[in-house]
Amino acid sequence: MLDVIPNLWPTPLWAGHTCVPDLGCRRIYLLPTQKLGGTVLVAHLTPGHTKGCTTWTMKVTEDGKTYDVVIIGSPNINPGYDLIHNADYPQIAQDYERMWRVLKSLHCDIFL
């Protein structure tokens, strides 16, 4: 898969970026895959909405058929964010371009 978060763990999702504590941000450490019961979730870094925005994929099976599920982080632009000349997030436009490339690369049967 294109742009799955690399195996450089433990690394904060938004390594090298700052977080504004009063917005409720916190650094989290993830492996590229997480197991929840019998389900394996795969993390795909899709920054833009925030520097650490993550989209998740997983497979589910029903009646013997397996489906690809995509749980999107967010493609929305936060109010007040500028996509160009943004001193607080200079790479925001490039991150949005990357996010769309990643999202388009994911096979999706079920979109959440």
Side-chain angles (χ1 to χ4, degrees):
M1 290 186 172
L2 178 67
D3 288 331
V4 174
I5 296 176
N7 284 319
L8 303 173
W9 306 103
T11 300
L13 282 180
W14 52 86
H17 299 294
T18 58
C19 181
V20 180
D22 62 338
L23 294 179
C25 297
R26 62 189 169 108
R27 289 183 180 219
I28 56 175
Y29 294 85
L30 299 171
L31 297 174
T33 59
Q34 297 286 311
K35 285 189 97 175
L36 182 60
T39 302
V40 175
L41 294 143
V42 179
H44 305 265
L45 188 60
T46 50
H49 175 72
T50 63
K51 294 175 184 178
C53 191
T54 305
T55 293
W56 298 89
T57 57
M58 66 181 186
K59 294 189 179 295
V60 296
T61 303
E62 182 176 78
D63 296 327
K65 182 165 172 51
T66 300
Y67 300 93
D68 291 314
V69 178
V70 175
I71 306 165
I72 192 168
S74 178
N76 298 328
I77 298 172
N78 287 328
Y81 268 50
D82 293 318
L83 293 180
I84 56 171
H85 308 298
N86 185 328
D88 294 325
Y89 191 172
Q91 76 279 12
I92 189 171
Q94 293 86 356
D95 281 354
Y96 265 103
E97 290 173 347
R98 179 181 185 270
M99 176 206 61
W100 288 115
R101 283 193 311 273
V102 171
L103 293 177
K104 287 178 181 181
S105 76
L106 301 174
H107 183 265
C108 180
D109 298 309
I110 301 170
F111 176 80
L112 300 175

